[in-house]
Amino acid sequence: MSTAGQNYLSASTGVRSWLLTTDHKRIGILYAIAVATFFLLGGIFALLVRTELAAPGETIMGQDAYNQAFTLHGVVMVFLVIIPAIPGILGNFVLPIQIGAKDVAFPRLNLFSWYIFMLGALMALSGWLVIGQVDTGWTFYTPYSAEGTSSVLWLTSAVFIAGFASIFTGLNFIVTVHKMRAPGMAWNRLPLFVWAIYATAIVQVLATPVIGITMVLLFLERLLQIGIFDPALGGDPVLFQHFFWFYSHPAVYIMILPAMGIISDLMGTFSRQQVSGYTFIALSSVAIAFLGFLVWGHHMFVAGQSALSSIIFSMLTFLIGIPTGIKVFNWVATMYKGSVSLKTPMLYALMFLFLFTIGGLTGIMVGVLAVDVHLHDTYFIVAHFHYVMMGGALIGLIGGLHYWWPKITGRMYSETAGRIAAVLVFVGFNLTFFTQFVMGSRGMPRRYHDYAGLLDQYPEFAAYNLASSVGSFVLAAGLFMILAYAVHSLVRGKKAPANPWGAVTLEWTHTGPIPDPHNFEKVPLVTRGPYDFHLADDVLGAAASASSESQDNT
Amino acid sequence: MAHGSHHIVPIRTLATVFAVLVALTIITVITAQLDLGPLNVPLALAIAGTKAVAVAAIFMALKYDNPVNMVVAFLGIAFAVVFLSLTLSDTALRGALGIQPAGHIPYELPAAVHEASASAEEPDAVALAEQEMPEVQEAPARSGEALYDQFCKTCHSLDGSVLPGPTFQGIGQSRTREALTESILDPDATITEGFPPQLMLLTLNALNFYSTTSDAEIESLVTFLEAQ
Amino acid sequence: MAETSTTLKHYFVSSAQQFDAAKMGMWLFLVTEVLLFSGMFVAYAVYRVWYPEVFELSSELLDWRLGALNTLVLLASSFTVALSVHFIQRNEKEKVVVLLLLTLLCALAFMVVKYFEYTGKWSHGIFPGAGFAPHGDYAAYYTPYAPQFFSIYFVMTGIHGIHVLVGMGVIAWIVTRAIRGHFSAAYYTPIELTGLYWHLVDIIWIFLFPLLYLI
Ligand code: HEM
Ligand SMILES: [Cu+2]
């Protein structure tokens, strides 16, 4: 069929054409809208939490409201934002095009996943509005979660349902990568983003069912008192933590692996050279996916698990450092002697490199059994996982969104505004969370609504907390600025060329400025690797390479 | 794997596998009735595993299929095994290094622990590190009545009503002190007509009765019974 | 190159590719089922290792004859499903309908037996969780952690039973499609996939039977 003059945005119009679409690109946008909304919501709760902690004593809310606020912040950010974000938005939009497919293997399942996700999300939020608030924290630990308000039931059902969306997305991507690659798209020609999403999908498929059964058992514990997790009935609360972390540690790799994939693509494109150690980066994603299943007990060092198993888990945790290190070193090596251009996406890639390295190294620190006994449940942990989840996963997402924005919307955004916002985000983020490392290592406990009682002994907590709260507002300002210029770009942005960055993966070289409904007019025949810039003159053309060089003077 | 041509498993093969599955079911039922000591459990699992492999290989045609599906199936099982073994490395080995109590976290934490956690309001690292480790307190001896409430009450009434065990009403008249002590420490030595053997021993063991009560406490429990 | 067939979706190149993709998707789905059940097997193992005597004593209350009967019934249903795939590959469509109906019958028999087992337990006060209050002959089995055994029993067999019911629904739907002549040696993906699912349900029972009834 000829689709001349048609692109996936203009091919059909109206709300129905969006809500019933099976086009992976449109589904990606559906995810983007949903996730952005939830991110705003989760962010508001974060600001509430930080405002309460800005000064000692009650600032804006009491202890119960505080507990509910951080619970909702955690649940929304983890289950409704970071886990679905990159696979849902960019995985959907980019992955099929990058491998030269017309769509994912199961387009209807893909749309179905989005609806399940929305059902879970709306259940979680409506439960909070209608049934009552949950204050267990995002971890739902027993025995507390087996008592307390009945809205725990509702929320765990929501998590159970949202889990299926994640499973189906992962399943879809695995099959797509295996079965839908274009002719010539050998495994060693897959862009590293594809490898990362593929590894992520393995984790989604293998780990998510366990959070499903965990939520079912917790549900039954509440409903029938089956006595598996509740110590008052002879159950074992630590067993719940095993169930929970068997999923939730691998889940942190569901969050970070896709971001690592984005960074690999960005490093290649904006250094204009072959990504160093391609095979190692690709396989380290898979290695991380598998090793990630062996370390969950590092969340339970002080929970009463057997000392022997703490030692085993601690040692296994160190292994994760190997594939992670491989990636970091190769990214650095990719920039070496490349012609690095500091466009906004690349700024985020560099930011990722810096922040994630801090997050990962502190991860190894708290993986040391003896160290973690002191740091567990302090702000040090909060800082660690924000450096990886926000500094890593979310910064990666933001970088990726900037990178693919022209392809998704057909418009450019203001480079200047982008850079200013990046600086704001960087400063705000570090002010917020670096202070938390310091106060955490000095004993500031997490999940406390107030620290007035600690000030006699630790007067410095007041200053650190205030700085952290100020930082969170700077960070928020940076994020809102991104929102503002994104909207501006949609309305007023310059029309984007087909390949503004001079990248050589298929989504840039084989589609128009805005892709066709079926991606390609004819299925591409792949003859080179994803970062073979020297072989790609045919598709790049002199103009593209010239324009990207002329802006290199930053 | 040639595209488009699907292997057709012959009827004969399918029927043979079905016959083997039925035979294995019969074997596992029979061997389970025998007392093989520690071998019963592994044998039953080995038979079940064999059956599962037969179903997967032939009925589900994994043997003839694209190998990638076999890898997928294998991954599922491998990670179920990881889940199982690393969880057991905790639950089955609590106390293994002798630096923490063994076994399952008991029903109720001793009162002393409750107080300790209630007073520790500020878990700050520095202060905790400087602090002496608190001496483990001997739990105060419990009264005979308290022990009765905690361990015996569910099965033995004081008012003559029939529960899983015989009532304690008037037991002080019908039994000597020695007999009472013996039936606590070795419940199956003499069994009252019509009541199940083993039940009391199992129950008390599971509640850690024998490992947590002192001789003096048993004495006071017997005294409490004598007074009924 | 592209085969023209009403069942071939436009984003696939060939129906072989489409079939392979569907099958791999099903295997991945089965793996998620394995991991879902693994949680329950872990719970079982943890408590069994802690309280082996309690588990042995409590399992005496489950009637191994009924368990064995159900095992044979499910094995037979697996056999008939495997045969139905065999015959559709040979394009013998009438046999497929008969075999699928037989499968459905076995599944029904399984659920009927389960119904009698469950109600038998309930009438003796054996419920999952807080309702656990065995009386009469069963009173002697009221040991600590017996509730855990029976909770695990009900949860595992209950979730397995739900899978059987879902399977019955899917098979019933497949039967109607087979009657309407939707399948042939050239296109039988739904039968193949349903068969895979059904075998997995069987495999899980193959483990539940000895763990709960025998040892
Ligand atoms: C080099 C890799 C990493 C290592 C070795 C590591 C290690 C650890 C350890 C040992 C803890 C437990 C500390 C405690 O609770 O006392 C922890 C907590 C945590 N980590 Fe990591 N981590 C790594 C990467 C990540 C990544 C990539 C993420 C997410 C994207 C992440 C998210 C978290 C979260 C959310 C928690 C705290 C959960 C909670 O208690 O609420 N970590 N990490
Ligand atoms: Cu972890």
Side-chain angles (χ1 to χ4, degrees):
Chain A
M1 86 206 79
S2 164
T3 47
Q6 283 287 37
N7 63 49
Y8 82 100
L9 291 172
S10 65
S12 55
T13 50
V15 178
R16 266 177 66 98
S17 80
W18 281 88
L19 290 181
L20 298 179
T21 181
T22 53
D23 181 346
H24 65 99
K25 299 180 285 304
R26 287 188 166 209
I27 293 175
I29 289 180
L30 291 179
Y31 271 106
I33 295 168
V35 167
T37 315
F38 300 139
F39 183 55
L40 181 67
L41 199 69
I44 291 173
F45 284 106
L47 290 179
L48 289 176
V49 165
R50 272 323 318 167
T51 309
E52 171 56 37
L53 292 178
E58 187 170 318
T59 319
I60 51 166
M61 57 184 144
Q63 48 193 6
D64 289 332
Y66 178 84
N67 291 349
Q68 291 154 12
F70 79 68
T71 299
L72 216 65
H73 164 68
V75 170
V76 169
M77 286 302 197
V78 170
F79 294 109
L80 307 185
V81 177
I82 308 188
I83 288 181
I86 303 183
I89 303 169
L90 294 174
N92 259 320
F93 193 96
V94 177
L95 179 136
I97 315 185
Q98 280 196 331
I99 65 170
K102 288 187 184 164
D103 207 323
V104 293
F106 310 113
R108 275 186 298 171
L109 183 68
N110 200 11
L111 179 66
F112 182 62
S113 307
W114 183 77
Y115 277 103
I116 301 187
F117 168 64
M118 290 308 282
L119 178 67
L122 295 181
M123 266 181 80
L125 298 176
S126 64
W128 168 70
L129 288 174
V130 180
I131 300 187
Q133 288 73 33
V134 178
D135 57 359
T136 59
W138 75 283
T139 47
F140 304 117
Y141 276 4
T142 53
Y144 186 56
S145 59
E147 302 153 7
T149 63
S150 66
S151 44
V152 172
L153 283 186
W154 189 254
L155 194 56
T156 50
S157 319
V159 169
F160 176 77
I161 291 174
F164 277 98
S166 184
I167 290 180
F168 291 142
T169 305
L171 189 155
N172 221 331
F173 286 153
I174 294 181
V175 178
T176 305
V177 172
H178 270 272
K179 306 287 181 191
M180 311 289 283
R181 301 192 311 276
M185 181 54 85
W187 285 88
N188 62 4
R189 286 179 179 162
L190 291 176
L192 287 164
F193 178 66
V194 174
W195 270 103
I197 294 282
Y198 175 73
T200 307
I202 296 178
V203 184
Q204 285 174 297
V205 166
L206 290 174
T208 317
V210 174
I211 193 78
I213 190 67
T214 310
M215 292 297 133
V216 169
L217 290 177
L218 183 59
F219 190 94
L220 292 174
E221 189 79 56
R222 287 291 312 255
L223 203 66
L224 302 172
Q225 284 89 46
I226 57 174
I228 305 293
F229 297 140
D230 187 350
L233 303 165
D236 188 64
V238 179
L239 186 61
F240 175 84
Q241 299 189 18
H242 282 295
F243 274 63
F244 182 81
W245 289 113
F246 179 85
Y247 165 73
S248 293
H249 184 82
V252 307
Y253 296 105
I254 297 179
M255 310 178 200
I256 197 71
L257 276 171
M260 292 172 156
I262 294 175
I263 299 310
S264 304
D265 271 18
L266 295 185
M267 286 292 175
T269 301
F270 292 96
S271 306
R272 287 192 73 72
Q273 70 179 348
Q274 172 71 41
V275 175
S276 147
Y278 170 90
T279 317
F280 286 98
I281 295 191
L283 294 183
S284 66
S285 289
V286 181
I288 289 179
F290 288 136
L291 283 178
F293 279 91
L294 307 180
V295 301
W296 78 80
H298 64 212
H299 295 272
M300 302 162 58
F301 286 156
V302 298
Q305 76 179 346
S306 89
L308 196 64
S309 116
S310 288
I311 292 171
I312 296 173
F313 278 122
S314 178
M315 294 199 299
L316 289 170
T317 297
F318 302 150
L319 293 182
I320 300 273
I322 299 171
T324 313
I326 288 179
K327 282 181 190 292
V328 171
F329 289 125
N330 277 308
W331 289 326
V332 176
T334 304
M335 289 184 288
Y336 180 66
K337 287 194 171 167
S339 50
V340 178
S341 105
L342 293 178
K343 297 272 170 52
T344 310
M346 187 62 172
L347 289 183
Y348 283 101
L350 294 174
M351 210 188 291
F352 174 99
L353 205 59
F354 182 76
L355 301 179
F356 174 75
T357 305
I358 294 179
L361 286 177
T362 53
I364 303 284
M365 278 173 73
V366 292
V368 178
L369 180 46
V371 175
D372 188 59
V373 170
H374 291 286
L375 293 178
H376 180 72
D377 268 348
T378 69
Y379 260 88
F380 193 91
I381 303 301
V382 178
H384 153 67
F385 67 71
H386 281 89
Y387 265 81
V388 277
M389 291 169 51
M390 171 130 205
L394 265 168
I395 294 298
L397 170 69
I398 296 175
L401 283 174
H402 280 86
Y403 177 55
W404 281 296
W405 182 264
K407 185 60 51 181
I408 297 174
T409 63
R411 307 262 181 173
M412 301 303 290
Y413 50 84
S414 154
E415 191 63 37
T416 323
R419 290 178 188 183
I420 295 173
V423 172
L424 275 181
V425 167
F426 184 75
V427 172
F429 178 87
N430 282 298
L431 191 56
T432 310
F433 294 109
F434 201 83
T435 46
Q436 298 187 357
F437 273 132
V438 183
M439 60 179 152
S441 63
R442 296 181 177 211
M444 170 81 195
R446 71 190 275 204
R447 292 186 176 171
Y448 273 33
H449 74 291
D450 187 22
Y451 48 91
L454 306 178
L455 291 179
D456 290 344
Q457 243 183 319
Y458 303 105
E460 71 270 28
F461 284 177
Y464 285 124
N465 271 303
L466 180 60
S468 177
S469 297
V470 170
S472 65
F473 281 92
V474 177
L475 178 56
L479 293 171
F480 275 112
M481 185 168 168
I482 298 178
L483 181 66
Y485 68 72
V487 173
H488 179 266
S489 153
L490 283 182
V491 187
R492 293 256 161 98
K494 240 182 18 190
K495 286 248 163 28
N499 189 359
W501 318 119
V504 295
T505 42
L506 296 184
E507 79 276 28
W508 300 109
T509 55
H510 282 65
T511 65
I514 306 177
D516 283 359
H518 296 310
N519 300 346
F520 310 101
E521 273 186 39
K522 71 181 207 300
V523 176
L525 178 68
V526 183
T527 54
R528 55 172 170 77
Y531 311 107
D532 286 337
F533 292 89
H534 58 291
L535 298 180
D537 285 342
D538 53 329
V539 289
L540 285 180
S545 38
S547 81
S548 76
E549 262 152 42
S550 69
Q551 289 170 24
D552 256 321
N553 44 12
T554 12
Chain B
M1 194 63 350
H3 273 289
S5 72
H6 302 298
H7 183 92
I8 303 185
V9 188
I11 294 196
R12 177 183 276 277
T13 315
L14 294 175
T16 315
V17 169
F18 179 57
V20 169
L21 289 170
V22 172
L24 283 174
T25 306
I26 296 170
I27 294 174
T28 193
V29 167
I30 294 173
T31 53
Q33 315 293 318
L34 311 172
D35 184 7
L36 306 177
L39 285 183
N40 275 99
V41 177
L43 182 67
L45 286 177
I47 295 178
T50 314
K51 289 164 73 179
V53 169
V55 172
I58 310 296
F59 282 179
M60 301 170 96
L62 262 192
K63 190 177 160 201
Y64 316 101
D65 206 349
N66 188 331
V68 77
N69 291 336
M70 182 139 23
V71 174
V72 170
F74 171 78
L75 279 183
I77 292 158
F79 282 93
V81 171
V82 166
F83 186 16
L84 181 69
S85 41
L86 281 175
T87 303
L88 285 177
S89 87
D90 164 24
T91 61
L93 297 178
R94 286 196 195 147
L97 301 181
I99 53 177
Q100 73 194 134
H104 186 187
I105 293 172
Y107 265 36
E108 278 169 309
L109 295 172
V113 176
H114 273 303
E115 282 157 22
S117 65
S119 66
E121 272 172 2
E122 299 162 21
D124 75 79
V126 185
L128 275 181
E130 287 164 357
Q131 205 176 304
E132 291 276 315
M133 291 293 279
E135 290 282 315
V136 177
Q137 294 283 316
E138 276 289 317
R142 291 160 290 185
S143 71
E145 185 168 4
L147 287 168
Y148 166 79
D149 282 342
Q150 194 178 345
F151 294 107
C152 323
K153 200 173 169 177
T154 34
C155 297
H156 300 282
S157 72
L158 295 179
D159 59 3
S161 53
V162 180
L163 296 174
T167 179
F168 285 165
Q169 195 182 39
I171 200 162
Q173 276 89 62
S174 62
R175 299 282 205 296
T176 62
R177 221 182 144 79
E178 290 68 40
L180 286 172
T181 313
E182 188 199 51
S183 44
I184 296 171
L185 294 182
D186 184 4
D188 290 335
T190 48
I191 288 289
T192 312
E193 271 285 325
F195 289 98
Q198 276 201 32
L199 174 63
M200 174 166 159
L201 187 63
L202 269 175
T203 311
L204 290 181
N205 261 331
L207 293 172
N208 294 328
F209 172 78
Y210 296 106
S211 53
T212 59
T213 37
S214 62
D215 290 352
E217 286 178 326
I218 302 267
E219 291 274 303
S220 46
L221 178 58
V222 173
T223 312
F224 170 77
L225 294 185
E226 272 187 313
Q228 298 304 313
Chain C
M1 180 178 77
E3 294 159 43
T4 44
S5 147
T6 46
T7 49
L8 179 63
K9 304 274 196 331
H10 73 86
Y11 41 89
F12 286 108
V13 178
S14 67
S15 46
Q17 183 197 26
Q18 180 170 329
F19 178 82
D20 273 7
K23 200 161 172 189
M24 186 178 179
M26 192 63 197
W27 271 105
L28 284 164
F29 177 72
L30 295 188
V31 158
T32 69
E33 293 279 9
V34 168
L35 279 143
L36 185 88
F37 275 93
S38 79
M40 291 175 273
F41 283 106
V42 168
Y44 173 92
V46 164
Y47 282 94
R48 183 173 179 106
V49 168
W50 273 331
Y51 307 109
E53 309 90 355
V54 176
F55 270 50
E56 273 163 40
L57 187 73
S58 303
S59 83
E60 284 174 15
L61 282 189
L62 301 179
D63 189 342
W64 64 264
R65 290 178 220 88
L66 294 180
L69 173 65
N70 258 350
T71 309
L72 295 178
V73 166
L74 270 197
L75 287 176
S77 72
S78 254
F79 182 47
T80 51
V81 164
L83 284 177
S84 72
V85 173
H86 173 93
F87 283 113
I88 194 67
Q89 286 173 320
R90 294 172 171 272
N91 227 1
E92 300 186 34
K93 300 179 190 173
E94 299 74 28
K95 290 196 182 147
V96 172
V97 174
V98 174
L99 284 163
L100 287 177
L101 284 173
L102 276 179
T103 312
L104 212 49
L105 208 64
C106 287
L108 190 67
F110 180 91
M111 290 313 291
V112 169
V113 172
K114 261 298 23 112
Y115 169 81
F116 283 112
E117 278 192 271
Y118 273 15
T119 48
K121 292 286 163 296
W122 292 338
S123 69
H124 285 88
I126 293 196
F127 292 99
F132 187 78
H135 46 71
D137 306 344
Y138 286 19
Y141 292 88
Y142 195 170
T143 65
Y145 302 108
Q148 268 74 15
F149 175 85
F150 285 102
S151 292
I152 291 173
Y153 164 76
F154 279 112
V155 172
M156 288 184 107
T157 56
I159 295 185
H160 178 265
I162 292 173
H163 279 80
V164 173
L165 287 176
V166 170
M168 288 171 72
V170 177
I171 294 174
W173 174 66
I174 296 288
V175 170
T176 64
R177 288 189 63 187
I179 292 174
R180 282 177 288 159
H182 284 189
F183 306 122
S184 67
Y187 174 72
Y188 59 91
T189 315
I191 302 186
E192 171 91 18
L193 301 192
T194 313
L196 288 179
Y197 171 83
W198 191 253
H199 294 308
L200 183 84
V201 172
D202 185 21
I203 288 182
I204 289 181
W205 182 261
I206 286 177
F207 283 98
L208 289 184
F209 169 55
L211 287 178
L212 294 170
Y213 292 79
L214 293 182
I215 57 179

